[in-house]
Amino acid sequence: QLQLQESGPGLVKPSETLSLTCTVSGDSISSSNYYWGWIRQPPGKGLEWIGSIYYSGNTYYSPSLKSRVTISVDTSKNQFSLKLNSVTAADTATYYCARHASMTTVTFVYWGQGTLVTVSS
Amino acid sequence: QSALTQPRSVSGSPGQSVTISCTGTSSDVGGYNYVSWYQHHPGKAPKLLISDVNKRPSGVPRRFSGSKSGNTASLTMSGLQAEDEADYYCCSYAGNYTVIFGGGTRLTVL
């Protein structure tokens, strides 16, 4: 059974960089033709797609976050990561990682449990 | 790219049917048959209910169904059960390899 687990600091200071890692178990990122995405949910608000990465390293970002986001993959560790720079309180959210089969079918079948990141000084 | 429009809340009694709408534009919902729906119980991971407008993944009860007309997609839940009380989100491909979610709908089972 595929499992995804987010990890990273739960508190980030304003203007700094938010860094999260998603560890995948039950399948190899490099051997499967899947996309690996990041989605967030601010408190009391809806879901927002941040971006996705293909196992080969091709990246796709939300236009509204593109200037601040970097998603990368480390196949040796079976992990992919999110970096969001110049954070503000508006970036406070529960961050989820998820797997999907293509960039068009938007079918996120497997999700991590989510990790809350608070931006505060 | 604005979030897809969903009603903030809907409600129904056990056994009844409810429908949640998801309105976008011709650049997302109306332009592609790539709409999915997710059920989200607070504190848990979202669960895929419907993919590609109206396809139910294995394990999802038949009482969940999806449809689309023009720029509006819909999720219908029949035979409401207490455990259906949750937040529901639509999601659409929005072109140029981007994805957009709806604002979410809170379902209350009375």
Side-chain angles (χ1 to χ4, degrees):
Chain A
Q1 176 77 349
L2 183 73
Q3 292 187 319
L4 295 86
Q5 180 66 57
E6 307 88 350
S7 60
L11 181 64
V12 181
K13 290 183 168 57
S15 80
E16 295 190 345
T17 297
L18 179 159
S19 296
L20 294 175
T21 295
C22 181
T23 300
V24 178
S25 58
D27 193 14
S28 170
I29 285 181
S30 59
S31 67
S32 51
N33 298 336
Y34 287 103
Y35 293 75
W36 307 88
W38 287 98
I39 296 146
R40 69 180 183 179
Q41 182 180 31
K45 296 188 178 181
L47 298 172
E48 178 184 23
W49 175 71
I50 300 170
S52 298
I53 188 165
Y54 193 46
Y55 79 100
S56 63
N58 291 348
T59 52
Y60 310 87
Y61 298 131
S62 166
S64 63
L65 296 170
K66 186 174 184 177
S67 63
R68 299 194 291 131
V69 174
T70 302
I71 296 175
S72 59
V73 63
D74 186 339
T75 55
S76 67
K77 294 182 179 179
N78 221 35
Q79 297 175 332
F80 62 105
S81 299
L82 167 70
K83 290 188 185 301
L84 180 66
N85 58 38
S86 304
V87 297
T88 69
D91 295 310
T92 293
T94 296
Y95 286 76
Y96 297 94
C97 57
R99 189 184 84 171
H100 53 127
S102 83
M103 277 310 303
T104 54
T105 58
V106 297
T107 304
F108 298 93
V109 177
Y110 295 98
W111 295 68
Q113 287 299 307
T115 187
L116 176 62
V117 179
T118 301
V119 178
S120 175
S121 56
Chain B
Q1 222 184 27
S2 299
L4 304 174
T5 301
Q6 298 182 231
R8 288 194 64 88
S9 64
V10 297
S11 62
S13 299
Q16 288 187 332
S17 294
V18 294
T19 296
I20 298 173
S21 61
C22 169
T23 302
T25 69
S26 58
S27 296
D28 38 63
V29 174
Y32 312 92
N33 287 324
Y34 296 133
V35 176
S36 53
W37 288 91
Y38 299 86
Q39 178 188 63
H40 190 202
H41 287 102
K44 292 191 170 184
K47 175 186 176 183
L48 175 69
L49 291 178
I50 298 288
S51 66
D52 300 345
V53 175
N54 56 16
K55 296 179 182 175
R56 243 186 344 268
S58 174
V60 174
R62 295 183 64 179
R63 57 195 187 82
F64 291 94
S65 62
S67 62
K68 192 187 85 166
S69 177
N71 296 337
T72 298
S74 299
L75 171 70
T76 297
M77 294 169 277
S78 59
L80 272 182
Q81 300 180 2
E83 57 262 37
D84 296 335
E85 187 161 292
D87 297 321
Y88 291 82
Y89 293 91
C90 61
C91 178
S92 175
Y93 178 61
N96 295 318
Y97 300 112
T98 63
V99 177
I100 188 169
F101 279 92
T105 299
R106 171 66 57 88
L107 169 65
T108 300
V109 180
L110 302 171

